[in-house]
Amino acid sequence: MRYDFDKDAKRQKRRKLIFKILIWVVEVFAAIFLAYFIANVALEKATVLGNSMSTALEADDKILINKMAYLRSGPDRYDVIVFKQTGKEHSYYNIKRVIGLPGETVEIKDGYVYINGKILDEPMLVEPIHIAGLAEEPIVLDEDEYFVLGDNRNNSEDSRFANIGNVVKSDIIGKAWIRTNEFGFISKLNMSYDSKEDAETMTEDQTEESK
């Protein structure tokens, strides 16, 4: 019996072609899924309302929100976060900077923020606070609460006021990541230190001192 080598070669070529087509289809679907995931799950576009975060962010700035940033842990001090509070009348996103962390005691005296009784040497370019609001008396944060302020301290509705108050972790949409209309990483905007790493080092030193 004579073996048909030509037929076998054609069969192998056909299998390779089908395999390549399947790989291509899988790659296309993976790319579509990844694009959808990034656009609808991992990242979100938003527009800044008002000037409460000036000069880091101005009204009508376009930003990208990293919605995956806090899946494993909560925000760090000085992170700029985006949150939407449940049970509140408004439905828009708020953008503020984290100042007080869970379990800490926050107070504002003589225009400055105190954490656990010690003045906070903030790395942002901000003015002394004229209105302490609720933080005129010490505020003890629960284990899922954050105290937030706008960088524009005297033109910001934030945790000092009852209509905002402390922000619970479940209300946090994500981290304000990139300003897109005038490109910049938001973590580096309005910082008086050379880098966020410098600010974080300073914060760790302050935390150790406050213990």
Side-chain angles (χ1 to χ4, degrees):
M1 181 177 179
R2 184 176 178 182
Y3 186 77
D4 192 340
F5 290 97
D6 290 338
K7 186 176 181 181
D8 185 63
K10 290 179 181 179
R11 187 182 300 113
Q12 289 182 11
K13 287 182 179 180
R14 191 181 303 114
R15 287 175 180 174
K16 288 182 180 179
L17 178 61
I18 292 172
F19 183 74
K20 287 181 179 179
I21 292 173
L22 288 175
I23 292 295
W24 179 81
V25 170
V26 169
E27 288 176 345
V28 169
F29 275 100
I32 293 172
F33 173 80
L34 182 61
Y36 177 85
F37 180 82
I38 291 173
N40 295 277
V41 179
L43 300 177
E44 183 174 347
K45 296 178 182 178
T47 300
V48 176
L49 300 176
N51 293 300
S52 69
M53 278 300 297
S54 180
T55 58
L57 296 169
E58 306 293 344
D60 298 324
D61 274 350
K62 310 299 182 185
I63 67 170
L64 282 179
I65 306 167
N66 181 355
K67 298 172 71 174
M68 308 292 286
Y70 304 127
L71 291 182
R72 293 187 177 182
S73 61
D76 294 324
R77 200 188 317 278
Y78 309 127
D79 279 1
V80 178
I81 63 169
V82 180
F83 59 96
K84 181 180 177 182
Q85 293 177 294
T86 55
K88 301 288 184 178
E89 293 182 2
H90 59 75
S91 59
Y92 55 83
Y93 284 176
N94 269 301
I95 304 174
K96 297 290 184 287
R97 193 181 296 275
V98 173
I99 299 299
L101 301 175
E104 293 182 335
T105 299
V106 182
E107 188 176 6
I108 297 174
K109 297 188 295 185
D110 302 321
Y112 297 96
V113 178
Y114 286 73
I115 300 292
N116 297 335
K118 292 187 178 292
I119 193 168
L120 185 65
D121 185 13
E122 300 180 86
M124 300 84 65
L125 299 170
V126 293
E127 296 179 343
I129 297 169
H130 296 162
I131 301 175
L134 298 174
E136 188 173 5
E137 299 294 330
I139 296 174
V140 180
L141 299 171
D142 286 342
E143 291 305 314
D144 65 341
E145 289 184 334
Y146 296 84
F147 187 91
V148 299
L149 293 174
D151 283 8
N152 190 359
R153 293 292 167 80
N154 297 305
N155 188 23
S156 173
E157 285 188 308
D158 42 45
S159 291
R160 292 172 290 167
F161 304 103
N163 61 326
I164 299 292
N166 301 330
V167 177
V168 296
K169 189 175 186 298
S170 59
D171 286 342
I172 297 174
I173 304 299
K175 182 177 183 178
W177 182 34
I178 293 174
R179 182 181 61 192
T180 59
N181 55 301
E182 185 178 348
F183 185 84
F185 288 100
I186 295 170
S187 63
K188 297 182 180 296
L189 301 178
N190 197 35
M191 285 286 180
S192 58
Y193 290 82
D194 291 336
S195 68
K196 190 181 178 187
E197 287 72 23
D198 294 337
E200 289 173 345
T201 299
M202 178 207 64
T203 301
E204 290 173 1
D205 292 342
Q206 290 175 333
T207 303
E208 289 299 322
E209 290 176 4
S210 64
K211 289 181 179 179

